[in-house]
Amino acid sequence: MEEWLRFSVCYWHSFRGTGADPFGQATIKRNWDDGTETIENYKRRLEAAFEFFTKLGVKYWTFHDRDISPEGQTLEETNRNLDEMSDLALNLQRQTGVQLLWNTCNLFAHPRYSNGAATNPNAHVFAYAAAQVKKGLEIGQKLGAKNFVFWGGREGYSSLLNTDLNLEMSNMANFLRMALVYKKKIGFEGQLLIEPKPKEPTRHQYDYDAQTVMSFLRQFNLQNDFKLNIEPNHTTLAGHGYEHDVVMASTFGILGSIDANTGSPDLGWDTDQFPMDIRACTAVMLQVIRQGGVQPGGLNFDAKVRRESTNTKDLFIAHIAAMDSFARGLRNASKIVEDGIMARHLKERYISFESGFGLKICNGLTDLEECEEFIHQHGEPEMISGQQEHCEAIFNRYL
Ligand code: XLS
Ligand code: CA
Ligand code: CA
């Protein structure tokens, strides 16, 4: 059971305290947090977080570098802060047994990254971001991270009038290649993940959705070294259904982890809400079962309680109820797989490709002339129902 449901708490949303949220949403002030940018406050916050993970019984956590330690005046000072804070994190991990699902670098909040990090028109900023990722990989290795995430919140454009698309995207590929080389050099074994998102905070982001990132990776020959961290709230922001990118990425063998949250279908932005929709959780777990689990990834709750949910208890309820939703999703999905009714339906729909001329098409053994000849012999195809409503009704029986 546990490996199917490898839950992780996102430190950013639940614990980083009163710092300004890059999306302008308020972060609730908690009683362990005095709101200062001091190392003492960062330590208190981290200790509270591990107490929370332990009470919750969750086995994994995730963070951005800047969530756990303050930025200094220079890179040296910033890295010293990070060394000190990651020492504490390592101790807390050892004491509690909580492991790091992934860490990542915040390459989007600081004003230096306003015009992008890896895709910045200024080479100096590119170098800064690269130095930050170098440190991030070292910290990931130190804390035994199972994965390392790249989320390109500023990698995109606000106007095409001042943007060299080709240069920016090839720089982004070089940036990722440099990270890959360094990861291998230091022996960091975590899986590298890219998290797609179409927009917000940038108007257009290059990592638009799963299919876009897959073709980018192939274009630059990086497809064997990166997988995707899919966040369904980003998927819906890209105009797709909730589970679309999970299914898409998984179908092509590149689903690495899931930031298991949801948006508000009536709103058009990234609300990062806790996943409470059993239908959606069932659809995701169905795909997770089909691919045999997402390890070394997991289900990370990249979600925040609503601004109005001000009790510490709300933080517990949110995580517990979200875990329960996925547990129910897993149960439903496993029943769907066990019964095999939906799988039989799917197989039946494509039965014409299993033999005869259909099999020839599948195997790439025919051509346009032969298809024309086939039509001359067989005429108009029979109309076959897609039976969507029937499938929806069957699916509903499991919820
Ligand atoms: C923001 C993203 C971010 C990534 C990590 O929308 O979800 O939190 O998961 O940088
Ligand atoms: Ca996310
Ligand atoms: Ca998000």
Side-chain angles (χ1 to χ4, degrees):
M1 224 11 204
E2 194 207 331
E3 280 306 282
W4 293 108
L5 298 171
R6 198 182 240 218
F7 294 124
S8 155
V9 175
C10 165
Y11 185 80
W12 185 30
H13 284 315
S14 297
F15 283 92
R16 94 193 160 130
T18 54
D21 187 304
F23 306 151
Q25 287 150 344
T27 313
I28 295 150
K29 191 172 179 317
R30 305 283 180 192
N31 56 9
W32 54 77
D33 194 328
D34 67 13
T36 63
E37 287 296 294
T38 57
I39 285 278
E40 288 64 40
N41 194 38
Y42 274 82
K43 285 188 176 167
R44 215 171 20 248
R45 207 188 277 155
L46 196 62
E47 276 159 1
F50 273 81
E51 188 184 329
F52 178 74
F53 306 155
T54 313
K55 285 185 170 151
L56 210 55
V58 88
K59 304 268 190 321
Y60 294 89
W61 70 305
T62 64
F63 68 88
H64 297 87
D65 47 4
R66 302 297 174 256
D67 302 343
I68 63 160
S69 82
E71 178 125 15
Q73 294 300 315
T74 61
L75 184 66
E76 291 75 12
E77 190 188 331
T78 301
N79 285 351
R80 266 199 309 279
N81 291 343
L82 200 48
D83 285 337
E84 190 174 343
M85 288 304 302
S86 54
D87 282 348
L88 176 62
L90 187 59
N91 276 338
L92 290 166
Q93 286 189 177
R94 283 186 180 143
Q95 278 165 32
T96 58
V98 173
Q99 301 178 62
L100 186 57
L101 187 69
W102 52 255
N103 66 316
T104 184
C105 290
N106 183 329
L107 301 171
F108 49 88
H110 194 284
R112 85 170 70 84
Y113 297 128
S114 305
N115 292 287
T119 61
N120 199 290
N122 181 354
H124 196 145
V125 179
F126 178 104
Y128 209 106
Q132 194 175 327
V133 164
K134 173 178 177 288
K135 185 69 179 173
L137 289 167
E138 290 163 9
I139 297 292
Q141 189 189 31
K142 171 175 168 181
L143 298 179
K146 306 282 179 220
N147 305 270
F148 184 88
V149 166
F150 293 88
W151 172 61
R154 303 277 174 196
E155 316 296 14
Y157 65 80
S158 285
S159 168
L160 281 171
L161 296 176
N162 63 1
T163 304
D164 184 337
L165 287 176
N166 210 326
L167 180 70
E168 291 202 0
M169 275 188 263
S170 109
N171 282 353
M172 187 157 85
N174 282 332
F175 189 89
L176 294 172
R177 203 166 288 114
M178 283 159 54
L180 180 61
V181 167
Y182 192 65
K183 165 199 137 114
K184 288 184 178 156
K185 183 172 177 190
I186 62 173
F188 172 52
E189 285 175 359
Q191 169 70 49
L192 300 179
L193 300 172
I194 295 179
E195 183 177 328
K197 187 173 181 180
K199 53 188 159 192
E200 196 199 13
T202 301
R203 177 181 167 214
H204 173 89
Q205 284 161 213
Y206 296 136
D207 297 332
Y208 197 90
D209 63 0
Q211 269 192 293
T212 310
V213 179
M214 281 191 276
S215 80
F216 166 83
L217 290 172
R218 280 180 192 279
Q219 187 180 353
F220 292 99
N221 199 24
L222 293 164
Q223 70 276 14
N224 298 326
D225 295 293
F226 288 82
K227 287 195 168 174
L228 303 186
N229 181 39
I230 298 297
E231 180 178 315
N233 196 164
H234 298 176
T235 309
T236 49
L237 206 50
H240 308 304
Y242 184 88
E243 65 271 26
H244 171 94
D245 266 8
V246 165
V247 177
M248 187 62 77
S250 169
T251 299
F252 292 95
I254 200 168
L255 175 67
S257 201
I258 299 170
D259 266 5
N261 67 9
T262 188
S264 241
D266 51 339
L267 299 173
W269 65 91
D270 189 16
T271 55
D272 290 327
Q273 289 175 230
F274 280 88
M276 302 292 182
D277 183 318
I278 306 296
R279 192 214 72 84
C281 293
T282 302
V284 167
M285 290 316 292
L286 189 56
Q287 194 61 34
V288 169
I289 292 179
R290 282 187 188 136
Q291 79 159 46
V294 281
Q295 302 81 9
L299 296 165
N300 172 51
F301 295 124
D302 190 3
K304 50 187 164 239
V305 291
R306 295 306 85 196
R307 188 177 191 156
E308 303 87 342
S309 303
T310 49
N311 297 336
T312 300
K313 195 175 165 188
D314 294 320
L315 209 52
F316 279 94
I317 291 173
H319 284 88
I320 292 167
M323 288 193 275
D324 285 349
S325 301
F326 269 99
R328 280 179 63 185
L330 174 62
R331 212 176 261 160
N332 295 341
S334 88
K335 191 84 177 61
I336 290 173
V337 171
E338 203 182 293
D339 286 358
I341 300 172
M342 301 208 68
R344 275 203 298 282
H345 248 277
L346 193 67
K347 192 172 159 55
E348 188 57 35
R349 192 166 188 222
Y350 294 91
I351 199 85
S352 67
F353 288 98
E354 288 197 357
S355 59
F357 198 65
L359 189 60
K360 261 183 125 176
I361 294 174
C362 265
N363 293 335
L365 295 175
T366 185
D367 53 27
L368 292 183
E369 288 107 311
E370 210 185 356
C371 284
E372 184 189 45
E373 183 49 38
F374 183 88
I375 297 306
H376 285 323
Q377 282 175 24
H378 296 87
E380 187 63 25
E382 183 195 342
M383 186 56 110
I384 300 170
S385 172
Q387 296 183 282
Q388 180 179 326
E389 298 77 7
H390 184 64
C391 290
E392 287 165 342
I394 296 173
F395 188 79
N396 278 348
R397 288 213 321 244
Y398 293 94
L399 302 185

